[in-house]
Amino acid sequence: GIQVEQSPPDLILQEGANSTLRCNFSDSVNNLQWFHQNPWGQLINLFYIPSGTKQNGRLSATTVATERYSLLYISSSQTTDSGVYFCAVGGSGGSNYKLTFGKGTLLTVNP
Amino acid sequence: NAGVMQNPRHLVRRRGQEARLRCSPMKGHSHVYWYRQLPEEGLKFMVYLQKENIIDESGMPKERFSAEFPKEGPSILRIQQVVRGDSAAYFCASSPRNIRGKLLFGSGTQLSVL
Protein backbone atom coordinates (compact mmCIF):
# COMPACT_ATOMS: atom_id res chain seq x y z
CA GLY A 1 0.00 0.00 0.00
CA ILE A 2 0.86 3.66 -0.10
CA GLN A 3 3.43 4.89 2.40
CA VAL A 4 2.98 8.33 3.94
CA GLU A 5 5.80 10.08 5.75
CA GLN A 6 5.41 13.35 7.59
CA SER A 7 8.09 15.67 8.84
CA PRO A 8 9.08 16.94 11.26
CA PRO A 9 7.56 14.61 13.86
CA ASP A 10 7.59 17.37 16.48
CA LEU A 11 7.72 21.13 16.23
CA ILE A 12 7.77 23.79 18.94
CA LEU A 13 7.10 27.41 18.01
CA GLN A 14 6.66 30.73 19.68
CA GLU A 15 3.39 32.48 18.97
CA GLY A 16 3.64 34.50 15.79
CA ALA A 17 6.18 32.26 14.07
CA ASN A 18 5.64 30.59 10.70
CA SER A 19 6.07 26.91 9.93
CA THR A 20 6.06 24.41 7.08
CA LEU A 21 4.94 20.80 7.49
CA ARG A 22 5.79 18.24 4.85
CA CYS A 23 4.07 15.09 3.63
CA ASN A 24 5.77 12.65 1.25
CA PHE A 25 3.87 9.76 -0.31
CA SER A 26 5.10 6.75 -2.20
CA ASP A 27 2.63 6.40 -5.07
CA SER A 28 0.18 8.28 -7.26
CA VAL A 29 -2.79 9.66 -5.38
CA ASN A 30 -6.02 11.31 -6.34
CA ASN A 31 -7.11 12.14 -2.83
CA LEU A 32 -5.00 14.09 -0.33
CA GLN A 33 -6.31 15.77 2.78
CA TRP A 34 -4.79 17.62 5.72
CA PHE A 35 -6.30 17.32 9.20
CA HIS A 36 -5.73 19.00 12.54
CA GLN A 37 -6.40 16.93 15.64
CA ASN A 38 -6.89 19.35 18.50
CA PRO A 39 -6.01 18.60 22.13
CA TRP A 40 -9.59 17.39 22.68
CA GLY A 41 -9.13 14.72 20.04
CA GLN A 42 -11.36 16.18 17.36
CA LEU A 43 -10.27 15.74 13.74
CA ILE A 44 -10.76 18.92 11.77
CA ASN A 45 -10.42 18.77 8.01
CA LEU A 46 -8.23 21.63 6.82
CA PHE A 47 -7.83 20.95 3.11
CA TYR A 48 -8.80 18.58 0.35
CA ILE A 49 -5.88 19.12 -2.01
CA PRO A 50 -4.90 16.31 -4.42
CA SER A 51 -3.02 18.90 -6.48
CA GLY A 52 -2.38 22.62 -6.64
CA THR A 53 -2.49 25.29 -3.96
CA LYS A 54 -5.23 26.43 -1.61
CA GLN A 55 -5.38 29.04 1.11
CA ASN A 56 -7.69 29.46 4.08
CA GLY A 57 -6.81 32.36 6.33
CA ARG A 58 -3.41 31.81 7.93
CA LEU A 59 -3.18 28.30 6.49
CA SER A 60 -2.25 27.29 3.00
CA ALA A 61 -1.34 24.02 1.33
CA THR A 62 0.41 22.97 -1.83
CA THR A 63 0.50 19.52 -3.39
CA VAL A 64 2.93 18.64 -6.17
CA ALA A 65 1.45 15.33 -7.25
CA THR A 66 4.12 14.59 -9.85
CA GLU A 67 6.81 14.80 -7.17
CA ARG A 68 4.68 13.08 -4.53
CA TYR A 69 4.69 15.61 -1.76
CA SER A 70 2.45 18.13 -0.08
CA LEU A 71 3.25 21.08 2.17
CA LEU A 72 1.13 22.76 4.83
CA TYR A 73 2.06 26.31 5.74
CA ILE A 74 1.00 27.93 8.98
CA SER A 75 1.67 31.63 9.28
CA SER A 76 1.54 33.81 12.39
CA SER A 77 0.92 30.77 14.55
CA GLN A 78 -1.39 30.97 17.56
CA THR A 79 -1.62 28.79 20.66
CA THR A 80 -4.88 27.39 19.30
CA ASP A 81 -2.91 25.91 16.38
CA SER A 82 -1.37 23.40 18.78
CA GLY A 83 -2.18 19.76 18.15
CA VAL A 84 -1.30 17.05 15.68
CA TYR A 85 -1.41 17.66 11.94
CA PHE A 86 -2.10 14.65 9.75
CA CYS A 87 -1.70 14.17 6.06
CA ALA A 88 -3.91 11.45 4.57
CA VAL A 89 -3.88 10.10 1.02
CA GLY A 90 -6.10 7.91 -1.10
CA GLY A 91 -4.68 6.01 -4.04
CA SER A 92 -5.70 6.30 -7.64
CA GLY A 93 -8.32 3.86 -8.81
CA GLY A 94 -11.49 2.72 -7.15
CA SER A 95 -10.31 2.75 -3.54
CA ASN A 96 -9.52 6.44 -3.20
CA TYR A 97 -11.95 6.54 -0.26
CA LYS A 98 -9.50 4.45 1.81
CA LEU A 99 -7.27 7.10 3.33
CA THR A 100 -3.83 6.20 4.57
CA PHE A 101 -2.73 8.55 7.33
CA GLY A 102 0.78 9.62 8.16
CA LYS A 103 1.99 9.50 11.74
CA GLY A 104 1.48 13.23 12.09
CA THR A 105 3.41 16.30 13.19
CA LEU A 106 2.91 17.32 16.80
CA LEU A 107 2.88 21.12 16.90
CA THR A 108 3.20 23.04 20.13
CA VAL A 109 2.77 26.82 20.01
CA ASN A 110 3.92 28.59 23.14
CA PRO A 111 2.62 32.02 24.18
CA ASN B 1 -27.25 21.01 9.42
CA ALA B 2 -25.63 18.88 12.13
CA GLY B 3 -22.35 17.22 11.31
CA VAL B 4 -21.50 13.59 11.76
CA MET B 5 -22.77 12.53 15.17
CA GLN B 6 -21.13 9.80 17.18
CA ASN B 7 -22.20 8.40 20.51
CA PRO B 8 -21.31 7.70 23.11
CA ARG B 9 -18.37 10.07 23.41
CA HIS B 10 -16.73 7.83 25.97
CA LEU B 11 -17.44 4.14 26.56
CA VAL B 12 -15.98 1.99 29.31
CA ARG B 13 -16.26 -1.77 29.10
CA ARG B 14 -14.80 -4.67 31.03
CA ARG B 15 -12.98 -7.42 29.22
CA GLY B 16 -15.44 -9.83 27.62
CA GLN B 17 -18.29 -7.34 27.30
CA GLU B 18 -19.73 -6.02 24.06
CA ALA B 19 -19.23 -2.49 22.78
CA ARG B 20 -21.64 -0.77 20.40
CA LEU B 21 -20.57 2.48 18.78
CA ARG B 22 -23.07 4.56 16.85
CA CYS B 23 -22.61 6.94 13.98
CA SER B 24 -25.29 9.13 12.42
CA PRO B 25 -24.09 10.52 9.10
CA MET B 26 -24.67 14.04 7.92
CA LYS B 27 -28.11 14.62 6.45
CA GLY B 28 -28.28 13.34 2.90
CA HIS B 29 -25.13 11.21 3.21
CA SER B 30 -25.44 7.54 2.39
CA HIS B 31 -21.80 6.50 2.71
CA VAL B 32 -20.11 5.85 6.06
CA TYR B 33 -16.47 5.15 6.90
CA TRP B 34 -15.03 3.94 10.19
CA TYR B 35 -11.44 4.56 11.29
CA ARG B 36 -9.62 3.53 14.43
CA GLN B 37 -6.84 5.43 16.20
CA LEU B 38 -4.69 3.17 18.31
CA PRO B 39 -2.15 4.83 20.61
CA GLU B 40 0.98 3.61 18.82
CA GLU B 41 -0.39 2.89 15.35
CA GLY B 42 -2.12 6.06 14.24
CA LEU B 43 -5.36 6.33 12.29
CA LYS B 44 -6.32 3.35 10.17
CA PHE B 45 -9.23 2.60 7.87
CA MET B 46 -11.57 -0.11 9.08
CA VAL B 47 -14.68 -0.32 6.92
CA TYR B 48 -16.73 1.48 4.26
CA LEU B 49 -20.49 1.02 4.16
CA GLN B 50 -23.40 2.21 2.13
CA LYS B 51 -27.00 1.79 3.21
CA GLU B 52 -27.54 -1.96 3.78
CA ASN B 53 -24.21 -2.85 2.14
CA ILE B 54 -20.65 -3.40 3.28
CA ILE B 55 -18.46 -2.14 0.44
CA ASP B 56 -14.98 -2.65 1.86
CA GLU B 57 -14.15 -4.22 5.21
CA SER B 58 -10.49 -4.87 4.46
CA GLY B 59 -9.38 -2.99 7.58
CA MET B 60 -11.61 -4.81 10.03
CA PRO B 61 -10.09 -7.41 12.36
CA LYS B 62 -11.25 -10.84 11.27
CA GLU B 63 -12.89 -11.75 14.55
CA ARG B 64 -15.18 -10.01 17.04
CA PHE B 65 -15.69 -6.87 14.93
CA SER B 66 -18.71 -6.19 12.75
CA ALA B 67 -20.35 -3.15 11.20
CA GLU B 68 -23.72 -2.37 9.73
CA PHE B 69 -25.54 0.57 8.20
CA PRO B 70 -29.24 -0.26 8.07
CA LYS B 71 -31.81 1.37 5.84
CA GLU B 72 -33.08 3.31 8.85
CA GLY B 73 -31.01 4.49 11.77
CA PRO B 74 -27.33 5.00 12.50
CA SER B 75 -24.37 2.93 11.48
CA ILE B 76 -23.23 0.59 14.24
CA LEU B 77 -19.72 -0.69 14.90
CA ARG B 78 -19.95 -3.69 17.18
CA ILE B 79 -17.09 -5.25 19.08
CA GLN B 80 -17.82 -8.51 20.84
CA GLN B 81 -15.85 -9.83 23.81
CA VAL B 82 -13.67 -6.76 24.05
CA VAL B 83 -10.02 -7.04 25.07
CA ARG B 84 -7.66 -4.38 26.37
CA GLY B 85 -6.09 -4.02 22.93
CA ASP B 86 -9.42 -2.71 21.60
CA SER B 87 -8.98 0.46 23.66
CA ALA B 88 -8.77 3.23 21.09
CA ALA B 89 -10.57 6.19 19.58
CA TYR B 90 -13.05 5.18 16.90
CA PHE B 91 -13.95 7.80 14.32
CA CYS B 92 -16.73 7.81 11.80
CA ALA B 93 -17.04 9.93 8.66
CA SER B 94 -19.70 10.23 6.00
CA SER B 95 -20.03 11.41 2.42
CA PRO B 96 -22.83 11.76 -0.14
CA ARG B 97 -20.97 9.46 -2.53
CA ASN B 98 -17.50 8.12 -3.08
CA ILE B 99 -15.14 10.77 -1.79
CA ARG B 100 -14.45 13.79 -3.96
CA GLY B 101 -13.81 16.45 -1.42
CA LYS B 102 -13.25 16.94 2.26
CA LEU B 103 -13.89 13.98 4.50
CA LEU B 104 -15.63 15.22 7.64
CA PHE B 105 -15.30 13.20 10.82
CA GLY B 106 -17.44 12.95 13.90
CA SER B 107 -15.98 13.69 17.32
CA GLY B 108 -15.15 10.03 17.89
CA THR B 109 -15.85 7.48 20.59
CA GLN B 110 -13.09 6.78 23.08
CA LEU B 111 -13.36 3.13 24.09
CA SER B 112 -11.60 2.09 27.28
CA VAL B 113 -11.46 -1.58 28.19
CA LEU B 114 -10.72 -2.33 31.84
Side-chain angles (χ1 to χ4, degrees):
Chain A
I2 296 176
Q3 305 299 312
V4 182
E5 292 187 4
Q6 292 187 241
S7 59
D10 301 278
L11 185 59
I12 300 175
L13 301 174
Q14 287 299 121
E15 206 166 21
N18 303 327
S19 61
T20 300
L21 282 57
R22 187 176 180 101
C23 171
N24 292 334
F25 43 94
S26 61
D27 206 344
S28 301
V29 299
N30 62 7
N31 187 352
L32 189 146
Q33 315 208 14
W34 282 96
F35 295 88
H36 174 215
Q37 188 167 37
N38 64 24
W40 295 270
Q42 293 179 308
L43 278 168
I44 311 298
N45 193 307
L46 301 175
F47 293 103
Y48 167 74
I49 186 163
S51 64
T53 297
K54 290 186 178 179
Q55 180 156 7
N56 184 3
R58 297 181 295 103
L59 273 59
S60 64
T62 295
T63 297
V64 183
T66 53
E67 297 187 22
R68 299 182 183 171
Y69 73 88
S70 183
L71 302 173
L72 178 69
Y73 306 95
I74 304 173
S75 64
S76 304
S77 58
Q78 301 175 357
T79 56
T80 51
D81 295 331
S82 295
V84 183
Y85 289 80
F86 292 104
C87 169
V89 303
S92 56
S95 63
N96 67 318
Y97 55 82
K98 190 186 300 185
L99 294 180
T100 299
F101 281 75
K103 293 185 184 301
T105 293
L106 175 59
L107 175 65
T108 303
V109 181
N110 292 321
Chain B
N1 183 14
V4 179
M5 304 300 291
Q6 290 188 248
N7 67 81
R9 187 80 174 89
H10 300 276
L11 182 61
V12 179
R13 287 287 178 266
R14 297 191 179 279
R15 282 179 296 170
Q17 291 184 319
E18 178 180 286
R20 282 181 176 246
L21 288 61
R22 294 175 182 77
C23 170
S24 297
M26 290 181 68
K27 188 176 180 180
H29 287 191
S30 58
H31 297 228
V32 165
Y33 316 84
W34 286 92
Y35 284 75
R36 177 167 67 170
Q37 187 172 30
L38 286 162
E40 299 302 323
E41 295 186 14
L43 277 148
K44 293 196 185 300
F45 169 83
M46 297 182 76
V47 62
Y48 164 34
L49 309 105
Q50 295 177 17
K51 289 276 187 181
E52 300 184 282
N53 279 306
I54 297 173
I55 306 303
D56 181 348
E57 56 182 348
S58 59
M60 289 276 273
K62 293 289 185 285
E63 297 178 350
R64 303 186 296 108
F65 285 70
S66 62
E68 63 176 5
F69 188 17
K71 186 177 181 181
E72 302 291 338
S75 175
I76 305 289
L77 180 67
R78 182 183 178 204
I79 311 172
Q80 295 179 288
Q81 299 177 327
V82 296
V83 301
R84 289 215 172 111
D86 297 333
S87 296
Y90 293 80
F91 290 94
C92 167
S94 71
S95 70
R97 65 182 76 80
N98 200 344
I99 295 175
R100 285 290 185 272
K102 282 186 176 183
L103 186 62
L104 301 178
F105 283 91
S107 297
T109 293
Q110 180 64 51
L111 173 65
S112 299
V113 180
L114 305 180

